[in-house]
Structure formats: structure tokens, C-alpha cells
Amino acid sequence: MKNFTSVSDIENLQDIIKKALQIKENSLSETEKGKGKTIGLVFLNSSLRTRLSSQIAAQNLGLNVLTLNAAQEAWNLEFADGAIMNGDTVEHIKDAIEVLNQYCDIIAVRCFAGMKSKEDDVNESILSQFEKHAKVPVVSLESATRHPLQSLADCITITEHWKEERKPKVVLTWAPHIKPIAQAVGNSFTEWMQEMDVDFVIANPEGYDLDENFTKDTKVFHNQDEALQDADFVYVKNWSSFDEYATMPEVKESWMLTAEKLENTSKAKVMHCLPVRRNVELSDEVMDGENSIIYQQAKNRIFSAQAVFSEILDELKSK
């Protein structure tokens, strides 16, 4: 594994899930693996689980960890090639990345969608700069279109909770929100579920279909109750419109997940990437109920990151 930005960077998904579960049993089994190596965690956006889980994972491997809150602590960055920097920006991103190349053996970056230019976000205008200019492995801590470490943790969580021989039915359901949210988590979860041995469907209102480059032939329901029928896992997440980019078309039906709606499922386990707006996206009774595995999901963020960092360290060692 040279870089980690999507499921396509994983050679065998089941193998890395197995590795992550083994790490979970003994997270300090490879404390010397990263000795003498440094990982730079670069945050252009807010973070709680990604920041802490990545730090813990790196420390468990013996890595030296540098954390940069670039949006608050670094110089104002310029991202446009050929820019005449006579305004507010002080340092070009390619210069910053070149410096990180000197300091770090791995660069991990978190860069949300700007939600202003569909073209810029779809083309990963920030992450692509890191991939272009970095001379060391790049790990996505969430980008404009994907959240791969979250999705790997989701796969780990589903694997832990499913012991039957039949395929589980997994539903990704849209939820309400108070402001436009990017499609990254929905896109990413969809990609990873397509690689899992599950019966996967998506539920969202009219006007909220995800990018077809991610959904492909996944069945999309515009009726939530119909999609939830006999579900074993329900993943709750909001996203804004892709077609009418970053807008919030009116939704008249109630899409907040409630205990009443779960009665239509096969006692489904409920998932969410967090943070969650309680009683907007899902109700307190669901969030705090016995079907919720949301906090287990959050804990598994450590082991998804540690499995990925471990694989990258193996690659560095082999050079």
C-alpha cells in the first residue's frame, strides 16, 4: 500500500479487516514497527474521532506524531497553480508539502469539500495536490468525496456484529440536517459496501441521489420504509444534493430515524459516523437504544487507522 485514499488502494479488503480485528485484540503488538519514523497529521478542517484515533493508532505503532491544525496554526495557504500571491495567502501548498516531505515519512491530510465548486470538489482540488507533490505515502483523513478510514471502520464493525451465514442487508439512509453537508461519507460507505459480501441498498429523498460514479448499480429507494424492510444494519447519514450541488431541496416526508421505523427492520443495528445532531438525524431513543453500535464504530476508528499505517510501514520497510 503506497497511498490510502479509497478502497481501491486496498489489495484485499477481507485481509485488512482481519488484520484490524487482530490489532484490536492486542493493539500494542507492533510498538517497534514505526520506530524512527514520523507521521504528519495535517488538518485543514475540524476533527475529533479522526484526530484522536489517528494519533492513538500511530503511537501504538511507535511512530513519532506531528499534528498540524493548518487552518488555524499555519500560514494562509494558496492552492491555485500559477497564482500571483499578492493577497491574503502567504504560502503555496506545493511549498508546504515539500517541507512536509523533509519532515515526515507519511503524510495524512483532512480536507473537506469546499461546497462552492462542484468541479473542484469532484476533482479533489486539495487532496490531489498532496498526491501530486508528496514524495512519501499519503493517507486521506477525509477528503471532498471520500472518508476511507471511516469506511474501513464501518466494515470492521459490520464484520464483528454479523455471525450468520446469509448475507446481511445493509441500508444507507439519508437523514435531515440544518445545513448542506458533503457527500463524502455516503460516497465512501457505498464504495466499500460494494466490495463487501452484503445486500446493500440506499434510501434518500428525490433530489438527493449520490453521484452515479459511486452508486453504480446499487439500488436506490426514494421510500425509506420500503428500503428499511428486513434490514440488518442501518447507516444514518445526511448529505446535500449532488445534482443541484450543495443545495437542500425541500423534503416533505419525515426521514429522521425513529424506533417506530426500526420496527420495519430485522432488529437492525444502527450506525452513524458521528458527530450526530440528535433528534434531527435520529432520535434519542435510537441513539441510546440497544440497537445502536455507534460508539463501537467510533472505537474501531483506531484499528482501521492502525491497520492502514501498519501496511504502509511494511511498504516503507520493503524499499
Side-chain angles (χ1 to χ4, degrees), residues 79-266:
F79 295 96
D81 287 335
I84 299 173
M85 294 173 55
N86 58 358
D88 294 336
T89 56
V90 178
E91 183 160 34
H92 200 283
I93 187 62
K94 63 183 179 183
D95 299 322
I97 295 170
E98 184 55 48
V99 172
L100 289 169
N101 286 331
Q102 315 304 313
Y103 298 161
C104 304
D105 301 283
I106 304 170
I107 299 172
V109 60
R110 183 175 179 90
C111 48
F112 289 171
M115 304 291 286
K116 295 179 180 179
S117 167
K118 183 176 184 177
E119 181 180 4
D120 283 350
D121 289 344
V122 168
N123 292 326
E124 294 284 6
S125 61
I126 297 177
L127 181 63
S128 63
Q129 295 263 26
F130 280 84
E131 293 178 293
K132 178 180 178 181
H133 297 295
K135 297 172 183 174
V136 300
V138 173
V139 176
S140 171
L141 302 177
E142 187 172 2
S143 68
T145 63
R146 295 178 173 92
H147 196 349
L149 285 176
Q150 176 67 58
S151 298
L152 176 53
D154 299 337
C155 293
I156 295 164
T157 307
I158 289 171
T159 300
E160 281 185 305
H161 283 271
W162 189 251
K163 304 303 179 186
E164 298 186 32
E165 292 186 4
R166 67 176 177 85
K167 290 183 181 181
K169 180 179 178 181
V170 181
V171 179
L172 170 63
T173 182
W174 181 91
H177 207 282
I178 65 167
K179 64 180 182 179
I181 300 294
Q183 298 92 25
V185 172
N187 289 342
S188 195
F189 185 71
T190 297
E191 277 191 325
W192 288 70
M193 286 301 101
Q194 289 165 351
E195 297 297 320
M196 289 279 282
D197 189 22
V198 300
D199 176 14
F200 176 63
V201 301
I202 301 171
N204 58 257
E206 296 277 1
Y208 285 89
D209 288 356
L210 293 167
D211 184 352
E212 291 181 356
N213 288 317
F214 289 95
T215 57
K216 298 178 181 176
D217 59 354
T218 297
K219 187 168 184 179
V220 178
F221 290 85
H222 294 140
N223 181 303
Q224 188 183 40
D225 290 335
E226 186 179 355
L228 291 175
Q229 182 71 44
D230 299 325
D232 298 296
F233 295 89
V234 178
Y235 199 115
V236 180
K237 187 70 181 83
N238 173 266
W239 57 85
S240 57
S241 176
F242 179 75
D243 289 337
E244 299 179 42
Y245 195 67
T247 67
M248 299 172 66
E250 182 182 4
V251 177
K252 294 182 179 179
E253 304 87 357
S254 174
W255 280 75
M256 182 180 75
L257 189 67
T258 62
E260 182 180 358
K261 290 186 177 184
L262 283 178
E263 292 176 2
N264 196 32
T265 71
S266 183

Side-chain angles (χ1 to χ4, degrees), residues 38-103:
T38 297
I39 184 169
L41 306 177
V42 181
F43 291 90
L44 295 170
N45 303 101
S46 301
S47 177
L48 189 154
R49 280 148 296 279
T50 300
R51 180 189 305 269
L52 298 182
S53 62
S54 298
Q55 289 176 338
I56 294 168
Q59 290 166 355
N60 286 347
L61 292 165
L63 281 159
N64 180 39
V65 183
L66 302 178
T67 302
L68 176 64
N69 300 312
Q72 293 84 33
E73 300 170 352
W75 299 110
N76 288 342
L77 293 169
E78 176 62 59
F79 295 96
D81 287 335
I84 299 173
M85 294 173 55
N86 58 358
D88 294 336
T89 56
V90 178
E91 183 160 34
H92 200 283
I93 187 62
K94 63 183 179 183
D95 299 322
I97 295 170
E98 184 55 48
V99 172
L100 289 169
N101 286 331
Q102 315 304 313
Y103 298 161

